[in-house]
């Protein structure tokens, strides 16, 4: 059998030739980036931070819609999608596609990824300094907090996801967290990271407007504080911004430069678009003359063109533009100059920034906080500073919180028209002092709905849960741990 | 026991030869005859072997079956070998004259071979066929050679219990769907095809993105039917476990002809087939259509301005184009001819045997501009290098060219022909009614945009959607007998192939102007794959010489590696219709490419033991690794255990005279399935597809979630079977019950909550799917005389499918939409895949007053003011007379999602077939039936052609529509009403019983007598006529009840969407052998 043994040996050899080490089984994709090959350098971290900004920038139309269509400053035109019309008229059901929160959570997941992996990269990349690391982290925390702040204002209670969805073993079936707890979490995060954020340490001026800075974190903190009626905190956060010499109100003559060319001294956080980089906004498409999506509402026209005929800086040909007696459009995002003449063209047509926070906004936040604390004269000074810049006469307001609240509401409507602020301002008013001005809020909301709907909607909206959107039907179906907003649970 | 030993010796003997000579010589003479009909067997080979089984000498019988062999040594054995017969060994004992009776190795051509005493060559298990204790069925394909079918799947239809075969479409070159024992996974349920031991390449899921919506050209089409000797279907996991991770959806083993010892033979076969499209559903003509449209408008609007297209306005400039009576279905249907040429040469000597074939099929389609051409060739070569070494080479090449038609806006040509307005003409006419020579393709027609409601004739004639597929396969096998009882086999096989698609849509085929983006759209896609498989096997038989204990087994080491790549380019607005290349100067719409590779390893151990030819036990253990899994779940273990008791061999059974060889068997096994995407498990990041943020910074985002839990889907089967031969082996019976459970179901694109930052997981393992049922196959040779044989066969199988368990977070409702033309989709634990949900349709409200809400007792409901509450659709529409009436299940006066109930199931309860064959002298007759019973179909064509709520053409059935208040007739349809919100809801109105029985094949043939052939210098000559799908017995109202299953989607429901139904075919066949 010696011969046989040799054969068996040969056979085993044949097998061994076929089995090499287990590397043979390790097949990596020829295209694309996989996690095993990623998170190696600081550039990788930066790329994901930029990816998160891009994903956030994908939502400018959503921010416009969430901030405006349920409020009273815009109206739908013939091209307004059906789902958006339903929301505008208060016919909101969970199957409305606008209720999907996926895009916010996409940004949140990328931010969570940065927060988790960036510190690990520092162990691999020697050139990754603490300064850079914490800079990136501050941007990630800022974007994540901003997303949650929007989510809380739109849905009230939402799942609080603080870990990236790394693998299929991650728990993706999280229940909702109370909106107040979410706000506590993000305030904490922002306050912790604020000191590491840069003031203007970016290579270009555009980046000091387009990426998170100390001032943008302060602005967000002020906004959150105001939303939670923590007026002292709000004032102190705004004071932090005021203390920086980097921000100031633009002069009256240059007011329109806030929007074109944008990135003004007044901007605190603006989402940047650049057609040359093939990165286009959607606001121009929503508001341009022939888009027939959204036009200024009758109430907006009243504010700008009729009641305040002297609104020269912010009014006709600046915030809005009149083509005919019945044809007005929103001019901020499509015009070249406050002349109502030249529309932006070519490469700048879709390059207009979406302004999340600007100086006038935070000043008015402070005014609101001051007035609610009874410091009326300080508040009035700010209001009149804004009005002065707008070339309209100063106001005299009776020393009552309500009077100030109304005056600031109107001032914000004029100054920040169509900037995705109005609905949240109204909600803040409606929620204040245990819903004491609920009826005022409802009165404003039903201004904009068809007359047949007014009565029904007014009754419906006495339940404050109806001010928030339902969880999208598909999301409810995919996540059994979610509880629908009781207002929509029928 | 002896027989088995002989077989082993034969197997070894066939592979050996010798140059040794002996001294003594003697001459033997004899005649070889068929044992059954006692006719001479022509061409049988008579070989002399020495003690070591070496071939010494041989001769071939003449036309009378006579032979003369000069023997080297009279003590040597003589073997008589003839293809189609069992080899016979004769100890001659010296010179003499003898008559040798050969027994046919196949019980009957085309019948189930249950007890063939042969070991499969190149098999992964080392066991005789008759001892196999797991569930397999082998079909001999000889009979199907003459029938007018083109592919193997057609030939199998209705012939194997538990195997459900559905023609995907009647268009040429389209594949079939094969489902073994019910839908068992969320994949595409394609069985693994193994040709001559080589598993065929399976395309991964992200391969060929360009043609994702097209049916693949099935592997079964790529092989000429005439090359196939037999097909074996492995049904239970105890047998499919042999193929480990690839066997989950069942396995088809295809064996092709091989060369045989003897004179060279030529065979030629020619088939001509005429294909006829069955009668289409009658549609409205132009006049009836216009009347219907006017009624729809009137009912909707009351008073309205009549659109000029339907106004009979002779001054309208398009009057002549809108006043036709076009039969669109007729215009796109044609009768077609299929030509099939087949030629083979086979033969061989002692050292080399060869079989080579060429086949060319030109298949005509019954839809205009469809055609498929296939050229295939095959070479099977065996070379006996030495007594111990056999070297085999298999080579095959196939070229498929399929000319199809484009589908636009998700409608194919035929679907469009059904709905296209019949008052529009095919050809354009000018204001005066003179033909312009162009197709009539307005940019906007009465029906809508010209690119949505296109002219189907123009798109078929001017557009193209062509595909060319090439595949090449080559394998080398070296067998080496290490010891008397140990054999080493090494097989290396290569598969290489790919396809190229070209489609083009010129501007004049659709209504589009020169500025439109969609005109002159050209697309080209290329796919390529290659794979290398190796198999190293050490097979052994009983080392001990005992007739009581028989042991055999094999240890096999398997590797496979495959690579694929694809490229696709799509361009719009090519400058001229003469330029159809997307790369030349058009506006590139998109370009994509991709590639990948995967690797697998497997170790297979198989042990078989048999005691006293009565008790058998077989085990299979296979361990597989695949590169698509992470190292934690990489190795999968697949196993099979089966046992059998040949009770007919027991002494106490011998007394039963009518009992032939009979077997009781049980098997249990687990096989598996791997994800089709080799890279699914990786977390991937991607560059944001558009744009960068400020300063052109690179920006990267998450794309797919890493899959740590990805593992094998496993399928477990328990199977109990009884095989019996009764009454002198004239009745064969096989009955099986089984239970098949799929666990860790592999779901593709499994949705997860958006709060995760993702939409879905690429794959997800979860849930449990069950199939249980029984199968019976029978065959009875009623008459068995020399000149007259008659046999009948039948099979039936029953399967119950159910979702035993759904994954914990599974989204059970995919769509809650209850709009016109839509069925809400649900999956319910305990119910089968393919259950329908919808409203109950209860006819038509005769008058406005009938459309009132009623309580459970049928009493009208009144509101506070005593006014009857009207019936509403949701809360938006109030039903009126003439509207469709739906059951208000919860009696709330509203038809809404709460009234949706279970209304049907797409899975057949019973499938099977039966047939008969008759042979009288030289005349043969056979027929085969196929049936599927107990399933429902959503008649999607009726839904689209009986709704009367759009500007689409409708079927003649709508002539029975409601027209005036109070009208109440039997089978009345609701009223015509443009854009009615609720008249065409997903309801049981369109759910029909799909049961059918079909005369699948009927064939009559005549074979010339050998004497006459001899005079004509031919070996054989035969002619036959056959018809396919001649008659269908069904109550189904649509065109064809053969609707495919699609389990890639748990929410699948069987909707008949007017695919080209399989044509009726009449075939003339002529075959000759030289």
């Amino acid at each position: 059998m010696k011969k046989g043994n040799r054969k068996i040996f040969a056979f085993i050899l044949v097998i061994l030739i076929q089995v090499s080490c287990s590397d043979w089984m390790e097949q990596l994709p020829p295209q694309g980036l996989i996690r095993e090959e990623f998170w190696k350098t600081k550039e990788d971290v930066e790329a994901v931070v930029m990816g998160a900004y891009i994903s956030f920038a994908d939502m400018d139309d959503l921010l416009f819609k969430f901030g405006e269509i349920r409020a009273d400053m815009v109206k739908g035109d013939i091209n307004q999608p059906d789902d958006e019309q339903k929301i505008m008229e208060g016919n909101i059901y969970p199957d409305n596609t606008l209720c999907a929160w996926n895009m916010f959570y996409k940004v949140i997941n990328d931010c969570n990824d940065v927060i988790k992996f960036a510190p690990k990269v520092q162990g691999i990349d020697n050139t990754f300094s603490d300064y850079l690391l914490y800079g990136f982290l501050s941007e990630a925390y800022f974007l994540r907090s901003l997303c949650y702040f929007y989510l809380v204002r739109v849905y009230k209670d939402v799942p609080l996801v603080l870990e990236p969805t790394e693998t299929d073993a991650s728990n993706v079936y999280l229940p909702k967290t109370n909106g107040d707890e979410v706000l506590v979490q993000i305030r904490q995060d922002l306050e912790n990271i604020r000191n590491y954020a840069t003031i203007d340490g970016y290579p270009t001026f555009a980046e000091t407007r387009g990426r998170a800075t100390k001032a943008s974190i302060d602005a967000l903190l002020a906004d959150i504080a105001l939303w939670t009626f923590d007026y002292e905190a709000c004032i102190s956060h705004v004071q932090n911004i005021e203390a920086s010499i980097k921000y100031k109100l633009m002069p009256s003559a240059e007011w329109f430069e806030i929007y074109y060319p944008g990135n003004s001294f007044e901007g605190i956080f603006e989402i940047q678009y650049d057609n040359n980089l093939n990165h286009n906004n959607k606001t121009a498409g929503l508001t341009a003359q022939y888009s027939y999506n959204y036009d200024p509402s009758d109430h907006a026209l009243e504010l700008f063109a009729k009641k305040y005929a002297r609104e020269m800086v912010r009014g006709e040909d600046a915030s809005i533009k009149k083509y005919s007696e019945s044809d007005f459009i929103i001019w901020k995002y499509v015009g070249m100059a406050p002349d109502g003449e030249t529309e932006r063209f070519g490469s700048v047509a879709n390059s207009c920034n979406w302004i999340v926070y600007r100086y006038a906004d935070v000043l008015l936040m402070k005014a609101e906080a001051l007035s609610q604390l009874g410091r009326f004269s300080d508040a009035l000074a700010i209001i009149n500073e804004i009005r002065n810049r707008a070339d309209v006469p100063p106001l005299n307001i009776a020393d009552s919180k309500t009077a100030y609240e109304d005056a600031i509401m109107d001032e914000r409507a004029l100054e920040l028209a169509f900037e995705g602020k109005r609905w949240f301002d109204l909600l803040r008013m409606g929620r204040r002092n245990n819903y004491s001005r609920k009826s005022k809020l409802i009165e404003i909301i039903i201004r904009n709905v068809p007359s047949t709907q007014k009565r029904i909607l007014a009754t419906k909206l006495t339940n404050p849960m109806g001010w928030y959107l339902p969880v999208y039907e598909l999301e409810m179906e995919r996540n059994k741990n979610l509880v629908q907003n009781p207002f929509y649970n029928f | 026991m002896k027989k088995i030993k002989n077989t082993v010796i034969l197997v070894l003997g066939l592979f050996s030869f010798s140059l040794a000579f002996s001294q003594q010589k003697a001459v033997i003479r004899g005649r070889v005859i068929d044992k059954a009909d006692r006719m001479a067997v022509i061409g049988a080979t008579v070989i002399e072997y020495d003690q070591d089984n070496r071939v010494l000498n041989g001769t071939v019988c003449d036309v009378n079956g006579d032979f003369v062999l000069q023997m080297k040594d009279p003590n040597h054995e003589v073997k008589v070998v003839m293809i189609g017969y069992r080899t016979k060994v004769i100890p001659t004992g010296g010179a003499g004259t003898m008559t040798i009776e050969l027994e046919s190795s196949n019980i009957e051509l085309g019948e189930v071979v249950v007890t063939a005493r042969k070991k499969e060559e190149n098999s992964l298990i080392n066991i005789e066929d008759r001892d196999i204790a797991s569930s397999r069925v082998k079909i001999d394909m000889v009979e199907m050679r003459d029938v007018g079918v083109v592919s193997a799947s057609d030939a199998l239809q209705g012939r194997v219990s538990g195997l459900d075969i559905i023609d995907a479409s009647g268009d040429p070159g389209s594949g079939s769907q094969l489902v073994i024992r019910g839908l068992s996974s969320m994949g595409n349920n394609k069985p693994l095809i193994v040709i001559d031991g080589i598993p065929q390449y399976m395309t991964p899921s992200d391969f060929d993105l360009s043609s994702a919506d097209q049916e693949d050209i099935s592997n079964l089409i790529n092989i000429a039917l005439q090359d196939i000797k037999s097909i074996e279907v492995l049904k239970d996991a105890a047998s499919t476990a042999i193929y480990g991770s690839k066997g989950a959806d069942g396995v088809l083993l295809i064996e092709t002809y091989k060369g045989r010892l003897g004179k060279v033979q030529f065979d030629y076969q020619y088939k001509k087939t005429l294909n006829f499209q069955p009668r289409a559903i009658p549609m409205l003509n132009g006049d009836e259509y216009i009347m219907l449209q006017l009624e729809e408008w009137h009912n909707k609007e009351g008073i309205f301005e009549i659109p000029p297209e339907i106004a009979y306005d002779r001054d309208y400039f398009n009057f002549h184009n809108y006043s036709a009576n076009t039969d669109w279905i007729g215009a796109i249907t044609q009768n077609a001819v299929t030509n099939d040429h087949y030629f083979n040469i086979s033969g061989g000597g002692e050292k080399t045997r060869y079989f080579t074939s060429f086949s060319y099929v030109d298949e005509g389609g019954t839809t205009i501009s469809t055609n498929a051409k296939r050229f295939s060739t095959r070479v099977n070569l065996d070379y006996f290098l030495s007594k111990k070494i056999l070297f085999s080479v298999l080579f095959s090449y196939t070229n498929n060219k399929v000319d199809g038609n484009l589908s636009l806006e998700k409608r194919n040509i035929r679907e469009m022909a059904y709905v296209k307005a019949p008052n529009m003409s095919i050809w354009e006419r000018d204001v005066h009614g003179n033909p312009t020579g162009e197709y009539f393709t307005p940019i906007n027609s009465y029906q809508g945009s010209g690119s949505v409601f296109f002219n189907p004739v123009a798109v078929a004639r001017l557009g193209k959607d062509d595909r060319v597929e090439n595949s090449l396969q080559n394998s080398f096998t070296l067998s080496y007998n290490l010891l008397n009882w140990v054999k080493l086999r090494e097989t290396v096989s290569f598969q290489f192939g790919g396809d190229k698609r070209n489609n083009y849509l010129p501007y004049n085929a659709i209504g589009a102007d020169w500025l439109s983006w969609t005109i002159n759209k050209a697309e080209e896609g290329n796919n390529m794959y290659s794979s290398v498989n190796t198999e190293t096997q050490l097979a052994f038989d009983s080392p001990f010489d005992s007739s009581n204990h028989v042991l055999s087994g094999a240890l096999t080491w398997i590797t496979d590696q495959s690579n694929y790549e694809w490229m696709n380019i799509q361009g719009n607005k090519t400058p001229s219709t003469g330029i159809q290349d997307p790369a030349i100067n058009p506006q590139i719409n998109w370009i994509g490419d991709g590639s990948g590779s995967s690797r697998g390893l497997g170790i297979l151990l198989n042990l078989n033991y048999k005691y006293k030819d009565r008790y058998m036990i077989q085990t299979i253990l296979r361990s597989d690794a695949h590169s698509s899994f992470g190292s934690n779940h990489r190795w999968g273990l697949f196993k099979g255990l089966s046992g059998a008791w040949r009770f007919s061999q027991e002494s106490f059974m011998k007394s039963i005279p009518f009992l032939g060889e009979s077997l009781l068997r049980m098997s249990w096994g687990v096989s598996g399935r791997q994800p089709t995407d080799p890279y699914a498990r990786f977390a991937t990041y991607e560059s944001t597809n558009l744009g960068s943020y400020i300063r052109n910074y690179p920006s990267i985002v998450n794309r797919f979630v890493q899959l740590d839990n990805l593992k094998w889907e496993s399928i477990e089967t328990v199977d109990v079977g009884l095989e019996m031969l009764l009454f002198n082996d004239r009745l064969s019976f096989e009955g099986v019950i089984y239970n098949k459970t799929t666990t860790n179901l592999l779901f593709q694109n499994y949705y997860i909550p958006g709060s995760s930052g993702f939409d879905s997981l690429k794959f997800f393992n979860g849930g449990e799917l069950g199939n249980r049922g029984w199968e019976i196959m029978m065959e009875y040779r009623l008459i068995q005389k020399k000149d007259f044989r008659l046999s009948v066969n039948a099979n039936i199988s029953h399967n119950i499918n159910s979702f035993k368990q759904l994954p914990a977070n599974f989204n059970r409702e995919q769509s809650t939409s209850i709009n016109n033309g839509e069925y809400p989709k649900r999956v319910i634990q305990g119910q089968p895949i393919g259950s329908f949900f919808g409203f109950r349709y209860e006819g038509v409200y005769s008058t406005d007053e009938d459309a009132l809400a009623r309580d459970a007792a049928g009493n009208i409901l009144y509101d506070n003011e005593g006014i009857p509450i009207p019936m509403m659709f949701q809360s938006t529409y109030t039903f009126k007379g003439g509207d469709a009436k739906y059951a208000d299940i919860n009696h709330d006066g509203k038809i809404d999602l709460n009234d949706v109930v279970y209304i049907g199931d797409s899975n057949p309860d019973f499938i099977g077939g039966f047939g008969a064959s008759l042979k009288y002298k030289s005349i043969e007759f056979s027929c085969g039936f196929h049936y599927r019973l107990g399933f429902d179909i959503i008649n999607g064509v009726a839904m689209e052609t009986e709704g009367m709520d759009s500007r689409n053409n409708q079927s003649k059935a709508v002539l029975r529509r409601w027209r005036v208040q109070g009208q109440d007739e039997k089978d009345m349809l609701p009223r015509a009403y443009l854009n009615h919100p609720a008249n065409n809801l997903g309801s049981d109105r369109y759910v029909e019983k799909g049961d059918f029985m079909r005369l699948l094949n009927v064939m009559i043939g005549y074979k010339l007598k050998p004497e006459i052939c001899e005079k004509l210098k031919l070996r054989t000559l035969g002619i036959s006529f056959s018809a396919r799908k001649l008659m269908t017995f069904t109550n189904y109202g649509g065109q064809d009840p053969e609707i495919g299953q699609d389990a890639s989607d748990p929410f699948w429901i069987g909707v008949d969407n007017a695919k080209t139904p399989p044509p009726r075919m009449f075939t003339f066949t002529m075959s000759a052998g030289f």
Side-chain angles (χ1 to χ4, degrees), chain A residues 317-473:
Chain A
D317 295 343
S319 289
I320 58 173
K321 147 103 183 125
K322 176 179 179 181
Y323 281 93
S324 72
E325 212 41 65
S326 59
D327 188 8
F328 285 86
I329 69 156
I330 298 166
W331 186 250
K332 271 184 178 174
Y333 301 113
V334 294
M336 280 284 264
D339 57 359
E341 292 287 316
T342 37
E343 279 204 36
R344 280 173 233 175
F345 53 83
S347 66
V348 292
N350 289 93
S351 300
C352 160
N353 290 346
W354 174 263
I355 299 171
V356 179
Y357 291 114
R358 60 185 173 96
Y359 197 51
D361 185 6
V362 294
L363 285 184
L364 286 169
M365 287 182 202
K366 186 181 168 195
E368 193 173 322
L370 288 168
S371 68
Q372 290 300 321
L373 291 173
R375 292 157 64 180
F376 296 121
S377 57
D378 293 349
L380 187 64
I382 293 175
I383 295 167
N384 284 334
E385 185 187 354
I386 301 288
R387 289 184 66 82
N388 181 37
R389 194 267 300 264
D391 252 356
V392 282
L395 287 181
N396 277 314
I397 307 168
D399 278 354
S400 95
K401 287 181 184 177
T402 315
Y404 268 88
E405 190 175 39
D406 289 345
I408 291 169
M409 271 310 183
D410 278 351
E411 200 55 45
R412 284 181 70 90
L414 287 164
E415 178 66 32
L416 305 167
F418 320 120
E419 293 179 32
K421 299 277 173 189
R422 179 68 174 167
W423 173 249
F424 303 124
D425 291 345
L426 291 175
L427 282 194
R428 201 165 60 237
M429 179 191 81
R431 288 167 54 252
R432 184 166 286 142
N433 298 332
N434 201 17
Y435 306 104
S436 59
R437 302 199 69 197
K438 190 155 80 176
S439 52
K440 168 85 176 168
L441 169 74
I442 293 168
E443 181 197 320
I444 294 173
I445 296 174
I446 60 172
R447 265 185 203 156
N448 217 13
V449 300
S451 51
T452 49
Q453 280 284 319
K454 281 186 200 291
R455 253 180 59 199
I456 306 167
L457 196 60
T459 320
K460 273 193 191 172
L461 288 179
T462 52
N463 179 353
M465 284 314 284
W467 305 348
Y468 301 97
L469 289 185
V471 179
Y472 187 41
E473 182 183 55

Side-chain angles (χ1 to χ4, degrees), chain B residues 189 197 217 241 249 299 447 470 549 629 684 790 800 833 897 964 987 1001 1041:
Chain B
N189 280 267
I217 294 181
D249 295 323
N299 284 339
Q447 279 187 289
N470 284 295
H549 306 277
F629 300 102
T684 50
L790 173 63
I800 298 167
I833 303 182
L897 202 56
V964 290
S987 70
N1001 294 307

Side-chain angles (χ1 to χ4, degrees), chain B residues 50 100 112 327 436 487 511 568 684 805 825 835 875 899 943 945 947 1035:
Chain B
D50 71 1
I100 300 161
V112 182
D327 172 10
T436 61
K487 188 166 88 172
N568 196 76
T684 50
Q805 203 185 331
K825 291 181 176 175
S835 303
S875 26
D899 299 310
M943 193 157 199
T945 61
N1035 286 327

